[in-house]
Amino acid sequence: MPRPVIYHIPVCPFSQRVEILLELKGMRDAVDFQVVDITLPREAWLLEKTRGTTALPVLETEEGGILKESLVIMRYVEERFAEPQIARNTPYERGIERLFISREGAFGTAGYLYVMNRAREKAAQMRETLLEHYAWLDDMLCQYNPDGIWLFERFGLAELAYTPLMMRFWFLEYYEGFALPQTERFARVARWRDACLEHTAAQQVSREEIIKLYYDYAVGSGNGALPEGRQRSTFVFEPHWRDRPMPPKDKYERIATDAELGLI
Ligand SMILES: N[C@@H](CCC(=O)N[C@@H](CS)C(=O)NCC(=O)O)C(=O)O
């Protein structure tokens, strides 16, 4: 049976959104996920499909139609495989869901800039910026479901848009010592975050994997780029991340070698 294809980079938070959605629907096999190696230049056939852009995921329909942007792909999958429906039922609740999701880009950027920062004196401000986003999420959760866990009564699109990003932010705990303050201001969002991280539909990646693969981000090199003095990216497929040691945490002091990271 022909199926839509998603070209994706393993451990990418954006394609994980679609994986979670399919898992919630019990339809993991409805889409064929094809892995692209982020450490190599994109192949010409793929660039032809995307008209030159390199960001993934990209979905290709059975008829050859191309869709980009994980939230667009998420809505396509939700509508194409309509039952069971994961989006909210009423226009008003869908509006709240969309409003909640509307900050995912700024939230993700805040966390990624923070982990990639190499100027120690800027770290406190970056932490503050990220905390402001968490505070906004807290306020939304308090407004729409103060006593519950999720934004509504179950894990839905709002949760699956943020969960992969909050999982990547394990790199902030490890490399920056970041933790949500245990105060009233963050109590509601902490409860939501903890439940999101543990949800059975969202277990495609592990903390150890993220910490090991994103070491290069922690020393300022994103998207498979090589940090100074290194020959191999922490995103290479071999050696497998399980066989590598936990990376050093001293990101402001130096860049670890390929050997130290278990990459050769
Ligand atoms: N806003 C996009 C972001 C996609 C994105 O940044 N993907 C990363 C992988 S996690 C990527 O493809 N980076 C490599 C590149 O942009 O060339 C989405 O939601 O799909």
Side-chain angles (χ1 to χ4, degrees), residues 2-8 30-34 45-46 48-50 56-68 73 76-77 80-81:
R3 300 180 285 172
V5 176
I6 290 185
Y7 300 99
H8 80 127
V31 171
D32 177 14
F33 282 87
Q34 293 197 10
W45 61 264
L46 185 55
E48 201 172 309
K49 289 185 196 296
T50 63
L56 299 174
V58 165
L59 178 139
E60 182 173 17
T61 67
E62 295 91 315
E63 297 76 31
I66 295 292
L67 284 177
K68 303 179 195 178
I73 297 172
Y76 171 84
V77 168
R80 165 85 191 268
F81 306 104

Side-chain angles (χ1 to χ4, degrees), residues 155-200:
F155 185 106
L157 296 189
E159 283 74 21
L160 73 81
Y162 283 93
T163 300
L165 295 172
M166 296 192 290
M167 286 183 158
R168 300 311 171 281
F169 294 174
W170 280 322
F171 55 46
L172 293 173
E173 286 174 22
Y174 188 81
Y175 294 110
E176 295 287 344
F178 174 82
L180 271 180
Q182 292 183 356
T183 60
E184 197 48 39
R185 188 180 181 213
F186 300 104
R188 178 67 184 90
V189 75
R191 183 161 88 236
W192 176 75
R193 184 203 52 183
D194 292 349
C196 285
L197 296 182
E198 283 173 13
H199 196 277
T200 51

Side-chain angles (χ1 to χ4, degrees), residues 114-183:
Y114 184 9
V115 79
M116 291 179 75
N117 168 47
R118 300 222 67 211
R120 203 192 287 272
E121 68 281 4
K122 291 189 183 155
Q125 181 51 53
M126 294 189 162
R127 175 177 178 276
E128 268 321 296
T129 304
L130 181 61
L131 285 177
E132 280 162 24
H133 286 290
Y134 272 114
W136 184 82
L137 291 169
D138 190 285
D139 187 60
M140 290 286 285
L141 291 160
C142 284
Q143 184 176 355
Y144 295 109
N145 190 3
D147 303 319
I149 294 175
W150 317 110
L151 178 60
F152 295 99
E153 80 289 348
R154 60 176 166 77
F155 185 106
L157 296 189
E159 283 74 21
L160 73 81
Y162 283 93
T163 300
L165 295 172
M166 296 192 290
M167 286 183 158
R168 300 311 171 281
F169 294 174
W170 280 322
F171 55 46
L172 293 173
E173 286 174 22
Y174 188 81
Y175 294 110
E176 295 287 344
F178 174 82
L180 271 180
Q182 292 183 356
T183 60

